[in-house]
Amino acid sequence: MAKDPVCGMFVEEKPESIRYIKDGREYYFCSKQCLDEFTQPEKELKKLKTYVAISIALTIPIVIFSLPHMFPTQFGALFPMSFMPYSNYLMLALATPLQFWIGWRFYRGLWDGIKARASNMDTLIAIGTTAAYLYSATVTIVPGYFPFESVYFETAAIIITLILIGRLLETRTKEKASYAVRKLLDLKPKMARVIRGDQVEEVEIPIEQVKGGDVMVVRPGERIPTDGIVIDGSSSIDESAVTGESIPVDKKNQDEVIGATINKSGLLKVKATKVGQDTVLSQIITLVEEARTGKAQMQRLVDQVAKYFVPAVLAVALGVGLGWYFVGGIGMTYSL
């Protein structure tokens, strides 16, 4: 079983599963939404910002219209009782796009969880908000079907809005990490001058073709192509981009140097010791990428709890509702 790097859901490693290969590593995704968020974080961030803005714009009037239902005495003068049926219809009109357009991602997460035979927090969000919306819509459209007149449009709206705000903050944090990765990738030199075997002249080759043991020639002002050991020459090296040290470090024969650092003064001949994914810079990039796509220990704990918590909550709720209806005989409304 693979784990979705975006939502953390476990995905079966099947040929038909949604997959994406990046930097030689294969990732599996539970849905196209997670794939898009992984491959196009800027686009998903922009879409999420739009959804949050619309969600807030719809939620505020829903909450205002719901005040007479929650505090009929205090707001009776501002909202006469004759206005109450119309406020229900206004809330229904505002809540419908919020529930089924803005909140569609939760239904998609619910469906993905059903297909993967796993529950997640989208399950509770989708079921909880849908129950509040459908009950309220029934009270609005069919007055008298339930003995109560209270509606709960604001409950579903506030839940969806708060969850989206939380996901926006999380996505923005991941986007900042992605920007940091891109800045680190920009530090990597594209070409290297090497002297191989009995060659006398320097040959310029792509950095990907540098092998361990190659002798690289680094002139003043150039970046060192990859990690290595100085075998000829001396110079001061600016390592600030990698280590954070602002003062250049003097290097001489047999000293180690880090790839992507800048040779400030003298001509150096450097023997490559680490190439590709083994270099210090590549390992830093890998750590930042794992931090961006991975989850904190508390998040992993929540995922494990949610795996059992969601089915338990649904089972208890269903059992209590059916118990009150059939055994307690208190009616559908109270049981629901």
Side-chain angles (χ1 to χ4, degrees):
M1 295 284 285
K3 195 171 186 180
D4 189 320
V6 176
C7 69
M9 184 180 293
F10 288 98
V11 183
E12 293 187 21
E13 300 180 28
K14 296 181 178 179
E16 63 271 17
S17 299
I18 302 175
R19 296 178 292 176
Y20 182 76
I21 298 176
K22 182 178 181 182
D23 298 330
R25 183 177 177 183
E26 190 172 40
Y27 298 90
Y28 286 81
F29 301 88
C30 68
S31 64
K32 189 177 183 301
Q33 177 181 318
C34 288
L35 174 63
D36 292 340
E37 187 173 335
F38 184 82
T39 56
Q40 300 174 313
E42 301 91 348
K43 183 178 178 181
E44 285 299 307
L45 179 60
K46 184 178 179 181
K47 184 197 298 185
L48 194 53
K49 285 180 179 179
T50 303
Y51 281 4
V52 168
I54 296 173
S55 181
I56 292 174
L58 293 173
T59 299
I60 291 175
I62 291 174
V63 172
I64 293 174
F65 285 129
S66 68
L67 293 177
H69 298 275
M70 294 187 289
F71 309 101
T73 304
Q74 294 87 330
F75 291 91
L78 295 177
F79 296 88
M81 291 303 294
S82 60
F83 181 72
M84 296 285 280
Y86 299 104
S87 67
N88 284 358
Y89 283 107
L90 287 171
M91 284 190 286
L92 175 62
L94 293 169
T96 299
L98 181 57
Q99 182 71 38
F100 298 108
W101 176 40
I102 303 297
W104 181 250
R105 61 178 57 232
F106 303 118
Y107 292 105
R108 190 158 48 188
L110 168 64
W111 177 245
D112 292 333
I114 292 173
K115 290 192 296 184
R117 295 180 182 178
S119 55
N120 51 29
M121 294 312 294
D122 286 344
T123 307
L124 284 185
I125 296 167
I127 293 176
T129 58
T130 302
Y133 173 86
L134 292 179
Y135 177 85
S136 302
T138 304
V139 170
T140 301
I141 298 172
V142 191
Y145 185 83
F146 293 116
F148 304 107
E149 296 181 356
S150 298
V151 293
Y152 302 94
F153 290 116
E154 83 286 346
T155 301
I158 290 174
I159 289 174
I160 291 174
T161 301
L162 290 180
I163 296 296
L164 286 180
I165 291 174
R167 293 193 176 180
L168 174 61
L169 296 175
E170 181 183 7
T171 305
R172 286 185 62 183
T173 303
K174 289 182 177 181
E175 173 57 21
K176 289 181 180 179
S178 298
Y179 177 76
V181 170
R182 289 194 296 270
K183 295 293 287 184
L184 288 172
L185 289 171
D186 290 340
L187 297 177
K188 282 187 173 182
K190 302 296 186 293
M191 305 294 290
R193 295 186 181 91
V194 300
I195 301 175
R196 285 176 172 171
D198 297 330
Q199 290 179 346
V200 178
E201 296 183 356
E202 304 167 10
V203 178
E204 191 172 28
I205 61 174
I207 187 66
E208 292 80 12
Q209 296 181 11
V210 175
K211 301 177 181 178
D214 285 347
V215 177
M216 303 174 293
V217 179
V218 186
R219 293 183 171 83
E222 296 180 343
R223 291 187 183 273
I224 297 174
T226 188
D227 296 1
I229 298 176
V230 176
I231 60 173
D232 188 20
S234 61
S235 180
S236 58
I237 305 296
D238 181 1
E239 298 181 343
S240 58
V242 177
T243 66
E245 176 58 59
S246 59
I247 301 175
V249 181
D250 293 333
K251 299 290 183 178
K252 59 183 185 302
N253 194 28
Q254 297 304 309
D255 284 345
E256 293 184 354
V257 291
I258 303 172
T261 55
I262 302 174
N263 180 17
K264 300 289 289 184
S265 52
L267 178 70
L268 292 177
K269 288 186 178 179
V270 179
K271 182 179 180 181
T273 56
K274 295 179 181 179
V275 296
Q277 298 299 316
D278 296 328
T279 63
V280 171
L281 182 62
S282 295
Q283 291 176 5
I284 293 174
I285 292 172
T286 300
L287 288 173
V288 176
E289 189 70 26
E290 288 178 352
R292 183 181 75 86
T293 59
K295 291 198 171 189
Q297 182 177 358
M298 180 60 70
Q299 287 178 295
R300 290 195 293 269
L301 176 61
V302 169
D303 288 339
Q304 291 299 317
V305 171
K307 189 187 304 182
Y308 305 101
F309 175 73
V310 175
V313 167
L314 296 178
V316 170
L318 184 62
V320 171
L322 294 175
W324 276 113
Y325 183 74
F326 290 105
V327 180
I330 62 174
M332 174 60 72
T333 303
Y334 284 100
S335 301
L336 181 60

PDB file of all heavy atoms in Angstrom, residues 264-289:
ATOM      1  N   LYS A 264      35.452  32.018  -4.843  1.00  0.00           N
ATOM      2  CA  LYS A 264      35.569  33.475  -4.844  1.00  0.00           C
ATOM      3  C   LYS A 264      36.855  33.985  -5.488  1.00  0.00           C
ATOM      4  O   LYS A 264      36.849  35.031  -6.140  1.00  0.00           O
ATOM      5  CB  LYS A 264      35.497  33.998  -3.398  1.00  0.00           C
ATOM      6  CG  LYS A 264      34.206  33.663  -2.680  1.00  0.00           C
ATOM      7  CD  LYS A 264      33.038  34.449  -3.220  1.00  0.00           C
ATOM      8  CE  LYS A 264      33.135  35.916  -2.837  1.00  0.00           C
ATOM      9  NZ  LYS A 264      31.944  36.673  -3.270  1.00  0.00           N
ATOM     10  N   SER A 265      37.996  33.296  -5.310  1.00  0.00           N
ATOM     11  CA  SER A 265      39.263  33.912  -5.721  1.00  0.00           C
ATOM     12  C   SER A 265      40.125  33.027  -6.627  1.00  0.00           C
ATOM     13  O   SER A 265      40.175  33.240  -7.840  1.00  0.00           O
ATOM     14  CB  SER A 265      40.056  34.340  -4.475  1.00  0.00           C
ATOM     15  OG  SER A 265      40.183  33.255  -3.570  1.00  0.00           O
ATOM     16  N   GLY A 266      40.762  31.981  -6.074  1.00  0.00           N
ATOM     17  CA  GLY A 266      41.752  31.232  -6.840  1.00  0.00           C
ATOM     18  C   GLY A 266      41.166  30.138  -7.724  1.00  0.00           C
ATOM     19  O   GLY A 266      39.995  29.762  -7.620  1.00  0.00           O
ATOM     20  N   LEU A 267      42.016  29.599  -8.607  1.00  0.00           N
ATOM     21  CA  LEU A 267      41.648  28.471  -9.472  1.00  0.00           C
ATOM     22  C   LEU A 267      41.770  27.176  -8.669  1.00  0.00           C
ATOM     23  O   LEU A 267      42.770  26.948  -7.985  1.00  0.00           O
ATOM     24  CB  LEU A 267      42.565  28.423 -10.688  1.00  0.00           C
ATOM     25  CG  LEU A 267      42.330  27.271 -11.674  1.00  0.00           C
ATOM     26  CD1 LEU A 267      41.020  27.476 -12.415  1.00  0.00           C
ATOM     27  CD2 LEU A 267      43.486  27.155 -12.655  1.00  0.00           C
ATOM     28  N   LEU A 268      40.758  26.328  -8.758  1.00  0.00           N
ATOM     29  CA  LEU A 268      40.744  25.072  -8.010  1.00  0.00           C
ATOM     30  C   LEU A 268      40.577  23.882  -8.949  1.00  0.00           C
ATOM     31  O   LEU A 268      39.881  23.971  -9.969  1.00  0.00           O
ATOM     32  CB  LEU A 268      39.587  25.053  -6.995  1.00  0.00           C
ATOM     33  CG  LEU A 268      39.651  26.007  -5.804  1.00  0.00           C
ATOM     34  CD1 LEU A 268      38.378  25.877  -4.971  1.00  0.00           C
ATOM     35  CD2 LEU A 268      40.874  25.723  -4.939  1.00  0.00           C
ATOM     36  N   LYS A 269      41.239  22.794  -8.571  1.00  0.00           N
ATOM     37  CA  LYS A 269      40.953  21.498  -9.179  1.00  0.00           C
ATOM     38  C   LYS A 269      40.354  20.622  -8.077  1.00  0.00           C
ATOM     39  O   LYS A 269      40.975  20.427  -7.028  1.00  0.00           O
ATOM     40  CB  LYS A 269      42.211  20.870  -9.754  1.00  0.00           C
ATOM     41  CG  LYS A 269      42.706  21.552 -11.022  1.00  0.00           C
ATOM     42  CD  LYS A 269      43.880  20.809 -11.650  1.00  0.00           C
ATOM     43  CE  LYS A 269      44.320  21.476 -12.949  1.00  0.00           C
ATOM     44  NZ  LYS A 269      45.476  20.775 -13.573  1.00  0.00           N
ATOM     45  N   VAL A 270      39.163  20.140  -8.351  1.00  0.00           N
ATOM     46  CA  VAL A 270      38.401  19.413  -7.335  1.00  0.00           C
ATOM     47  C   VAL A 270      38.087  18.014  -7.848  1.00  0.00           C
ATOM     48  O   VAL A 270      37.597  17.850  -8.969  1.00  0.00           O
ATOM     49  CB  VAL A 270      37.091  20.160  -6.992  1.00  0.00           C
ATOM     50  CG1 VAL A 270      36.305  19.375  -5.953  1.00  0.00           C
ATOM     51  CG2 VAL A 270      37.386  21.565  -6.499  1.00  0.00           C
ATOM     52  N   LYS A 271      38.376  17.012  -7.033  1.00  0.00           N
ATOM     53  CA  LYS A 271      38.040  15.636  -7.366  1.00  0.00           C
ATOM     54  C   LYS A 271      36.639  15.328  -6.843  1.00  0.00           C
ATOM     55  O   LYS A 271      36.368  15.469  -5.648  1.00  0.00           O
ATOM     56  CB  LYS A 271      39.052  14.672  -6.740  1.00  0.00           C
ATOM     57  CG  LYS A 271      38.807  13.208  -7.083  1.00  0.00           C
ATOM     58  CD  LYS A 271      39.865  12.320  -6.451  1.00  0.00           C
ATOM     59  CE  LYS A 271      39.635  10.851  -6.782  1.00  0.00           C
ATOM     60  NZ  LYS A 271      40.657   9.978  -6.156  1.00  0.00           N
ATOM     61  N   ALA A 272      35.745  14.931  -7.734  1.00  0.00           N
ATOM     62  CA  ALA A 272      34.362  14.663  -7.349  1.00  0.00           C
ATOM     63  C   ALA A 272      34.281  13.428  -6.460  1.00  0.00           C
ATOM     64  O   ALA A 272      34.817  12.371  -6.796  1.00  0.00           O
ATOM     65  CB  ALA A 272      33.502  14.466  -8.590  1.00  0.00           C
ATOM     66  N   THR A 273      33.616  13.564  -5.320  1.00  0.00           N
ATOM     67  CA  THR A 273      33.434  12.437  -4.397  1.00  0.00           C
ATOM     68  C   THR A 273      31.970  12.004  -4.294  1.00  0.00           C
ATOM     69  O   THR A 273      31.685  10.831  -4.093  1.00  0.00           O
ATOM     70  CB  THR A 273      33.945  12.811  -2.995  1.00  0.00           C
ATOM     71  OG1 THR A 273      33.271  14.004  -2.549  1.00  0.00           O
ATOM     72  CG2 THR A 273      35.450  13.049  -3.012  1.00  0.00           C
ATOM     73  N   LYS A 274      31.051  12.954  -4.431  1.00  0.00           N
ATOM     74  CA  LYS A 274      29.625  12.642  -4.372  1.00  0.00           C
ATOM     75  C   LYS A 274      28.931  13.302  -5.559  1.00  0.00           C
ATOM     76  O   LYS A 274      29.160  14.482  -5.828  1.00  0.00           O
ATOM     77  CB  LYS A 274      29.000  13.132  -3.067  1.00  0.00           C
ATOM     78  CG  LYS A 274      29.535  12.438  -1.825  1.00  0.00           C
ATOM     79  CD  LYS A 274      28.877  13.001  -0.574  1.00  0.00           C
ATOM     80  CE  LYS A 274      29.420  12.336   0.692  1.00  0.00           C
ATOM     81  NZ  LYS A 274      28.797  12.912   1.912  1.00  0.00           N
ATOM     82  N   VAL A 275      28.089  12.538  -6.231  1.00  0.00           N
ATOM     83  CA  VAL A 275      27.390  13.074  -7.402  1.00  0.00           C
ATOM     84  C   VAL A 275      25.904  12.738  -7.300  1.00  0.00           C
ATOM     85  O   VAL A 275      25.492  11.872  -6.522  1.00  0.00           O
ATOM     86  CB  VAL A 275      27.965  12.504  -8.721  1.00  0.00           C
ATOM     87  CG1 VAL A 275      29.413  12.930  -8.901  1.00  0.00           C
ATOM     88  CG2 VAL A 275      27.858  10.976  -8.753  1.00  0.00           C
ATOM     89  N   GLY A 276      25.100  13.425  -8.117  1.00  0.00           N
ATOM     90  CA  GLY A 276      23.664  13.126  -8.174  1.00  0.00           C
ATOM     91  C   GLY A 276      22.957  13.367  -6.864  1.00  0.00           C
ATOM     92  O   GLY A 276      23.099  14.416  -6.229  1.00  0.00           O
ATOM     93  N   GLN A 277      22.187  12.374  -6.421  1.00  0.00           N
ATOM     94  CA  GLN A 277      21.377  12.497  -5.219  1.00  0.00           C
ATOM     95  C   GLN A 277      22.173  12.376  -3.930  1.00  0.00           C
ATOM     96  O   GLN A 277      21.621  12.549  -2.839  1.00  0.00           O
ATOM     97  CB  GLN A 277      20.271  11.425  -5.229  1.00  0.00           C
ATOM     98  CG  GLN A 277      19.294  11.531  -6.377  1.00  0.00           C
ATOM     99  CD  GLN A 277      18.542  12.851  -6.375  1.00  0.00           C
ATOM    100  OE1 GLN A 277      18.087  13.295  -5.332  1.00  0.00           O
ATOM    101  NE2 GLN A 277      18.414  13.467  -7.545  1.00  0.00           N
ATOM    102  N   ASP A 278      23.480  12.079  -4.027  1.00  0.00           N
ATOM    103  CA  ASP A 278      24.299  11.918  -2.825  1.00  0.00           C
ATOM    104  C   ASP A 278      24.908  13.219  -2.332  1.00  0.00           C
ATOM    105  O   ASP A 278      25.481  13.252  -1.238  1.00  0.00           O
ATOM    106  CB  ASP A 278      25.426  10.904  -3.094  1.00  0.00           C
ATOM    107  CG  ASP A 278      24.898   9.511  -3.385  1.00  0.00           C
ATOM    108  OD1 ASP A 278      23.836   9.167  -2.827  1.00  0.00           O
ATOM    109  OD2 ASP A 278      25.541   8.781  -4.165  1.00  0.00           O
ATOM    110  N   THR A 279      24.825  14.277  -3.110  1.00  0.00           N
ATOM    111  CA  THR A 279      25.433  15.537  -2.705  1.00  0.00           C
ATOM    112  C   THR A 279      24.670  16.166  -1.540  1.00  0.00           C
ATOM    113  O   THR A 279      23.504  15.848  -1.287  1.00  0.00           O
ATOM    114  CB  THR A 279      25.469  16.529  -3.878  1.00  0.00           C
ATOM    115  OG1 THR A 279      24.134  16.836  -4.269  1.00  0.00           O
ATOM    116  CG2 THR A 279      26.222  15.937  -5.064  1.00  0.00           C
ATOM    117  N   VAL A 280      25.349  17.067  -0.855  1.00  0.00           N
ATOM    118  CA  VAL A 280      24.734  17.748   0.288  1.00  0.00           C
ATOM    119  C   VAL A 280      23.500  18.527  -0.149  1.00  0.00           C
ATOM    120  O   VAL A 280      22.450  18.465   0.493  1.00  0.00           O
ATOM    121  CB  VAL A 280      25.759  18.693   0.956  1.00  0.00           C
ATOM    122  CG1 VAL A 280      25.064  19.569   2.004  1.00  0.00           C
ATOM    123  CG2 VAL A 280      26.889  17.904   1.589  1.00  0.00           C
ATOM    124  N   LEU A 281      23.607  19.270  -1.267  1.00  0.00           N
ATOM    125  CA  LEU A 281      22.480  20.066  -1.736  1.00  0.00           C
ATOM    126  C   LEU A 281      21.283  19.181  -2.093  1.00  0.00           C
ATOM    127  O   LEU A 281      20.133  19.508  -1.758  1.00  0.00           O
ATOM    128  CB  LEU A 281      22.891  20.906  -2.944  1.00  0.00           C
ATOM    129  CG  LEU A 281      21.813  21.826  -3.507  1.00  0.00           C
ATOM    130  CD1 LEU A 281      21.388  22.856  -2.474  1.00  0.00           C
ATOM    131  CD2 LEU A 281      22.290  22.517  -4.780  1.00  0.00           C
ATOM    132  N   SER A 282      21.527  18.053  -2.757  1.00  0.00           N
ATOM    133  CA  SER A 282      20.440  17.148  -3.128  1.00  0.00           C
ATOM    134  C   SER A 282      19.759  16.579  -1.895  1.00  0.00           C
ATOM    135  O   SER A 282      18.525  16.416  -1.867  1.00  0.00           O
ATOM    136  CB  SER A 282      20.971  16.010  -4.004  1.00  0.00           C
ATOM    137  OG  SER A 282      21.443  16.496  -5.237  1.00  0.00           O
ATOM    138  N   GLN A 283      20.542  16.294  -0.865  1.00  0.00           N
ATOM    139  CA  GLN A 283      19.950  15.768   0.367  1.00  0.00           C
ATOM    140  C   GLN A 283      19.112  16.829   1.076  1.00  0.00           C
ATOM    141  O   GLN A 283      18.049  16.523   1.639  1.00  0.00           O
ATOM    142  CB  GLN A 283      21.061  15.257   1.296  1.00  0.00           C
ATOM    143  CG  GLN A 283      21.741  14.002   0.760  1.00  0.00           C
ATOM    144  CD  GLN A 283      22.899  13.548   1.637  1.00  0.00           C
ATOM    145  OE1 GLN A 283      23.135  14.115   2.696  1.00  0.00           O
ATOM    146  NE2 GLN A 283      23.624  12.536   1.201  1.00  0.00           N
ATOM    147  N   ILE A 284      19.569  18.085   1.023  1.00  0.00           N
ATOM    148  CA  ILE A 284      18.779  19.169   1.605  1.00  0.00           C
ATOM    149  C   ILE A 284      17.464  19.309   0.855  1.00  0.00           C
ATOM    150  O   ILE A 284      16.390  19.449   1.460  1.00  0.00           O
ATOM    151  CB  ILE A 284      19.565  20.496   1.564  1.00  0.00           C
ATOM    152  CG1 ILE A 284      20.774  20.425   2.506  1.00  0.00           C
ATOM    153  CG2 ILE A 284      18.665  21.671   1.948  1.00  0.00           C
ATOM    154  CD1 ILE A 284      21.686  21.624   2.424  1.00  0.00           C
ATOM    155  N   ILE A 285      17.512  19.261  -0.483  1.00  0.00           N
ATOM    156  CA  ILE A 285      16.311  19.363  -1.307  1.00  0.00           C
ATOM    157  C   ILE A 285      15.350  18.220  -0.984  1.00  0.00           C
ATOM    158  O   ILE A 285      14.137  18.422  -0.872  1.00  0.00           O
ATOM    159  CB  ILE A 285      16.677  19.371  -2.804  1.00  0.00           C
ATOM    160  CG1 ILE A 285      17.423  20.663  -3.152  1.00  0.00           C
ATOM    161  CG2 ILE A 285      15.428  19.226  -3.677  1.00  0.00           C
ATOM    162  CD1 ILE A 285      17.985  20.682  -4.558  1.00  0.00           C
ATOM    163  N   THR A 286      15.890  17.017  -0.823  1.00  0.00           N
ATOM    164  CA  THR A 286      15.064  15.857  -0.500  1.00  0.00           C
ATOM    165  C   THR A 286      14.371  16.031   0.845  1.00  0.00           C
ATOM    166  O   THR A 286      13.176  15.728   0.996  1.00  0.00           O
ATOM    167  CB  THR A 286      15.915  14.577  -0.476  1.00  0.00           C
ATOM    168  OG1 THR A 286      16.517  14.388  -1.759  1.00  0.00           O
ATOM    169  CG2 THR A 286      15.067  13.362  -0.139  1.00  0.00           C
ATOM    170  N   LEU A 287      15.100  16.549   1.838  1.00  0.00           N
ATOM    171  CA  LEU A 287      14.517  16.766   3.159  1.00  0.00           C
ATOM    172  C   LEU A 287      13.395  17.801   3.109  1.00  0.00           C
ATOM    173  O   LEU A 287      12.332  17.615   3.719  1.00  0.00           O
ATOM    174  CB  LEU A 287      15.602  17.220   4.143  1.00  0.00           C
ATOM    175  CG  LEU A 287      16.608  16.157   4.593  1.00  0.00           C
ATOM    176  CD1 LEU A 287      17.714  16.793   5.425  1.00  0.00           C
ATOM    177  CD2 LEU A 287      15.919  15.070   5.399  1.00  0.00           C
ATOM    178  N   VAL A 288      13.620  18.892   2.372  1.00  0.00           N
ATOM    179  CA  VAL A 288      12.579  19.925   2.256  1.00  0.00           C
ATOM    180  C   VAL A 288      11.366  19.373   1.522  1.00  0.00           C
ATOM    181  O   VAL A 288      10.215  19.636   1.896  1.00  0.00           O
ATOM    182  CB  VAL A 288      13.139  21.163   1.531  1.00  0.00           C
ATOM    183  CG1 VAL A 288      12.028  22.200   1.312  1.00  0.00           C
ATOM    184  CG2 VAL A 288      14.269  21.785   2.324  1.00  0.00           C
ATOM    185  N   GLU A 289      11.607  18.577   0.467  1.00  0.00           N
ATOM    186  CA  GLU A 289      10.506  17.992  -0.299  1.00  0.00           C
ATOM    187  C   GLU A 289       9.701  17.020   0.566  1.00  0.00           C
ATOM    188  O   GLU A 289       8.468  17.000   0.513  1.00  0.00           O
ATOM    189  CB  GLU A 289      11.066  17.264  -1.522  1.00  0.00           C
ATOM    190  CG  GLU A 289      10.015  16.798  -2.503  1.00  0.00           C
ATOM    191  CD  GLU A 289       9.350  17.932  -3.236  1.00  0.00           C
ATOM    192  OE1 GLU A 289       9.973  18.994  -3.373  1.00  0.00           O
ATOM    193  OE2 GLU A 289       8.203  17.761  -3.660  1.00  0.00           O
TER     194      GLU A 289
END
